[in-house]
Amino acid sequence: MESLPTTTTKVERRWRSKPLQTSKPSLLLAFFSCLAWLYVAGRLWQDAENRTLLATLLEKNTSQRPKVLSVEDKLTVLGCKDLERRIVEAEMDLTMAKSQGYLKKNQLQQSGSSSVQLLAVIGVYTGFGSRLKRNVFRGSWMPKGDALRKLEERGVVIRFVIGRSANRGDSLDRNIDEENRSTKDFLILDGHEEAQEELPKKAKFFFSTAVQNWDAEFYVKVDDNIDLDLEGFIGLLEHRRGQNSSYIGCMKSGDVISEEGKPWYEPDWWKFGDEKSYFRHAAGSLLILSKNLAQYININSASLKTYAHDDTSVGSWMMGVQTTYIDDNRLCCGSIRQAKICWDSPSLTVVSNSVSR
């Protein structure tokens, strides 16, 4: 009978010890759960505080600015509206000034008679290897030295027109600069690269530069392989005084060469239709533009399309404006007519052949 309490006591001890062993993992799980809950609750509280702060700032800013900003309001805020207006006005003034023949003070006539309009500026195309040709010109129809200055007093400026070497500042450029210091009869196109394939662009540079430097009634392009009856040519121009929008020369059209590799090949041949014929244009050996047409080239030079040849390029520019075409047979230098003002020069051909050898 006394052993029963002892047995009962052992059973109770076993029963009490088991819950104590299984409760440790539960306590740890509960502890970590509390930590996780506290972390999440803290983040939620912090996010709520941030949202409240941002909402307050947004409400404050929106109360100080208009809800919708127009383009005009934005320009006003940025201080650009007045600047934009002044830029537009300046561009309009510049375009108007160019169209009216405005000349900068440092681009007045090089002849020295800035108060009197010249009759003509004659640009004689030349190249780096054409010094002998230039000397032939200076000894024939083209005056030199004091005679050239006296001709300018009569209102006619003559200049050899040349660009710059592809290797700027090399011996080619230095030789031209040295020759110009001696003769003072060059118009050097600093922005143009002198090359045979760049002749159409040379026409843009020449007319643009000439109209900026001299105020004349006519601007003339002459090739370096012809002779010119200068007095007869001046008489022709005198007769044409006051004829605005005049495009004067030996007018022709001619076939468009579409076969690559042939002489006078035109890469844009497909633009000239099925007949493949050029539009009417003055032959490239000698062509004349009145002042307003030269100004048109100057103003729009950046957007004017050039073709393979300079004469057809000039002719294409004249098609877009109100131009008076004047076909003068006396300017057909290669013809056999007796009454003509220019002609192909055999002496220049001989010089050209000797230079090529």
Side-chain angles (χ1 to χ4, degrees), residues 66-83:
K67 293 183 179 180
V68 179
L69 288 178
S70 65
V71 175
E72 297 293 328
D73 294 333
K74 291 178 181 178
L75 290 175
T76 303
V77 171
L78 296 174
C80 296
K81 186 175 182 180
D82 184 60
L83 180 60

Side-chain angles (χ1 to χ4, degrees), residues 98 102-103 107 121 125 161 187 189 200-215 219 289 291 293-304 314 317:
K98 282 185 175 181
Y102 171 77
L103 300 176
Q107 292 178 329
V121 175
Y125 276 25
V161 182
L187 173 60
L189 308 175
K201 293 181 181 178
K202 187 174 183 177
K204 288 201 293 185
F205 276 96
F206 164 61
F207 286 112
S208 296
T209 306
V211 81
Q212 290 176 29
N213 282 276
W214 294 281
D215 181 19
Y219 297 85
L289 298 181
K291 176 181 177 179
L293 295 181
Q295 288 175 338
Y296 169 77
I297 294 175
N298 176 37
I299 295 170
N300 300 282
S301 60
S303 58
L304 291 176
V314 175
W317 306 335

Side-chain angles (χ1 to χ4, degrees), residues 17-30:
S17 62
K18 288 181 180 179
L20 290 174
Q21 292 175 355
T22 56
S23 63
K24 290 180 181 180
S26 300
L27 290 174
L28 291 174
L29 181 61

Side-chain angles (χ1 to χ4, degrees), residues 55-69:
T56 303
L57 292 175
L58 182 60
E59 184 178 358
K60 184 178 179 180
N61 290 335
T62 53
S63 64
Q64 295 177 354
R65 294 183 180 180
K67 293 183 179 180
V68 179
L69 288 178

Side-chain angles (χ1 to χ4, degrees), residues 123-127 159-163 186-187 189 194 202 206:
V124 183
Y125 276 25
T126 189
R159 293 289 186 273
F160 288 110
V161 182
I162 193 169
F186 277 89
L187 173 60
L189 308 175
E194 187 67 32
K202 187 174 183 177
F206 164 61

